[in-house]
Amino acid sequence: MTISLRQIRYFVATAELGQISQAAVDLSISQSAVTTAIKELERTVGVSLFLRTPHGMDLTSAGRQFLSHAYEILKKVDEAMHLNVVSSEIEGTLTVAATYTVIGYFLPLHIERLRRLFPKLEIQLFELNRESIEEGLLSNRYDMSVLLTSNILNPALITEKVLSSTRRLWLPAQHPLLQAETVGLREIAEEPYIMLTVDEAAHSALKYWSATPYQPRVILRTSSVEATRSLVANGQGVAILSDMVHRPWSLEGRRIETVNISDPVPAMDVGLAWRRNMELSPPMLAFRSYFQQAFHLPER
């Protein structure tokens, strides 16, 4: 028997989400299809990849090793599907400003790919808050930026979204809300809440909370995603954050589950920004073209 990409994708989704039901929803397929694919995969590799528990699917030691290989396989397939059509001879310097969340949870993989695709292009990275990035773009201190475009309102800047990351409720393992049929802001408002503040996260959160009769019961405000992750995993509170920053395990090795929210909660949009009415240089065009290809965006 051979291993298929379908089996690998189903395995990764189950490993990340911790439940076959959640993986099936995320993949838009039936639970039986996920179950069958994982059983076939385990028969092929000859080891158990998951421990089946009443609360979901936990990776075995072999499963954690296989997950590392699975990520590498999917990475190589993704690269093969997004072959570069821009000349690799592009050279020069490109100054790119990025916000904390983007530089920590989105950009590193793409910068590594860009440096391999364009070895003569020097990319200089700067981490700044949104206000400083806007000012730097308008004063020509930076060529382009990668940031949360949903926070940009300045009409002097052009933004181009490349990714929408769904926001979900983060819960510790075995939390009662994991068994609820639906979870909305009303139910979340009854729980102790960890409010992330970095990159205007608190401002974004309060915008969708203010459209309801409910308010979060905030017990801590923190600028640290890792602190939020650990506090949730250790049962100190819940949080609403995007899939882009979600990891299924805390630094202590405790699991963080995610649940879809029944009320409207906007996704976190990530994209590019540059000054309006400027002519894009060859390095800027190469940078933009890379993201258009990587995320299947129409060329403009």
Side-chain angles (χ1 to χ4, degrees):
M1 296 177 67
T2 59
I3 296 175
S4 69
L5 284 175
R6 173 182 59 84
Q7 291 170 338
I8 291 174
R9 289 193 174 101
Y10 292 6
F11 164 78
V12 168
T14 304
E16 289 182 341
L17 297 171
Q19 294 180 331
I20 286 178
S21 58
Q22 289 285 339
V25 170
D26 190 67
L27 295 163
S28 300
I29 57 171
S30 68
Q31 292 187 38
S32 62
V34 179
T35 300
T36 300
I38 290 173
K39 287 180 178 178
E40 290 174 349
L41 184 59
E42 289 179 321
R43 281 199 297 270
T44 302
V45 299
V47 294
S48 294
L49 301 174
F50 290 101
L51 291 173
R52 278 76 171 170
T53 74
H55 303 289
M57 304 281 279
D58 292 336
L59 286 169
T60 62
S61 177
R64 285 191 288 274
Q65 293 181 49
F66 190 84
L67 181 61
S68 177
H69 293 300
Y71 281 139
E72 284 298 314
I73 292 168
L74 294 179
K75 174 184 173 183
K76 294 298 182 184
V77 170
D78 182 66
E79 289 177 359
M81 292 175 63
H82 300 104
L83 297 176
N84 179 48
V85 296
V86 178
S87 171
S88 62
E89 296 303 307
I90 293 290
E91 58 183 69
T93 300
L94 183 70
T95 54
V96 177
T99 53
Y100 167 88
T101 303
V102 168
I103 211 166
Y105 297 93
F106 175 76
L107 204 49
L109 169 66
H110 300 291
I111 293 297
E112 185 264 339
R113 288 180 179 174
L114 280 158
R115 284 177 171 154
R116 281 192 287 109
L117 288 169
F118 308 108
K120 297 181 180 179
L121 177 62
E122 180 187 359
I123 300 176
Q124 297 180 350
L125 274 179
F126 301 87
E127 182 189 321
L128 301 158
N129 60 33
R130 176 185 60 82
E131 293 90 343
S132 297
I133 289 177
E134 290 190 16
E135 189 275 328
L137 290 173
L138 294 175
S139 63
N140 291 323
R141 195 157 54 249
Y142 310 114
D143 297 317
M144 302 188 84
S145 71
V146 188
L147 74 174
L148 308 185
T149 53
S150 41
N151 293 340
I152 293 284
L153 298 175
N154 195 320
L157 297 175
I158 291 177
T159 62
E160 192 165 273
K161 181 175 70 175
V162 300
L163 171 72
S164 284
S165 181
T166 301
R167 287 185 169 101
R168 305 182 207 269
L169 176 66
W170 290 16
L171 296 168
Q174 303 182 30
H175 192 283
L177 286 180
L178 291 170
Q179 309 304 321
E181 289 188 10
T182 60
V183 177
L185 294 178
R186 176 181 179 178
E187 290 76 22
I188 298 170
E190 298 173 358
E191 302 290 330
Y193 193 89
I194 313 297
M195 179 69 79
L196 185 68
T197 59
V198 72
D199 277 353
E200 304 173 279
H203 176 70
S204 299
L206 292 176
K207 281 198 292 188
Y208 58 77
W209 276 101
S210 65
T212 75
Y214 317 110
Q215 288 296 314
R217 185 158 61 89
V218 178
I219 62 166
L220 177 70
R221 288 176 168 81
T222 175
S223 62
S224 170
V225 176
E226 295 309 318
T228 304
R229 195 187 321 281
S230 290
L231 288 163
V232 171
N234 285 280
Q236 301 305 299
V238 305
I240 297 174
L241 290 173
S242 80
D243 288 348
M244 191 179 83
V245 300
H246 176 258
R247 303 293 182 271
W249 306 98
S250 71
L251 295 176
E252 304 86 2
R254 296 194 172 184
R255 189 164 186 89
I256 300 101
E257 308 285 359
T258 61
V259 170
N260 292 330
I261 301 168
S262 59
D263 292 302
V265 173
M268 186 178 75
D269 294 339
V270 178
L272 312 180
W274 61 91
R275 184 167 55 86
R276 188 177 294 278
N277 297 326
M278 74 178 300
E279 182 176 351
L280 300 190
S281 66
M284 293 173 70
L285 288 170
F287 192 79
R288 182 189 184 196
S289 177
Y290 163 80
F291 283 102
Q292 287 174 334
Q293 293 176 47
F295 291 92
H296 311 285
L297 303 175
E299 294 191 11
R300 302 176 186 178

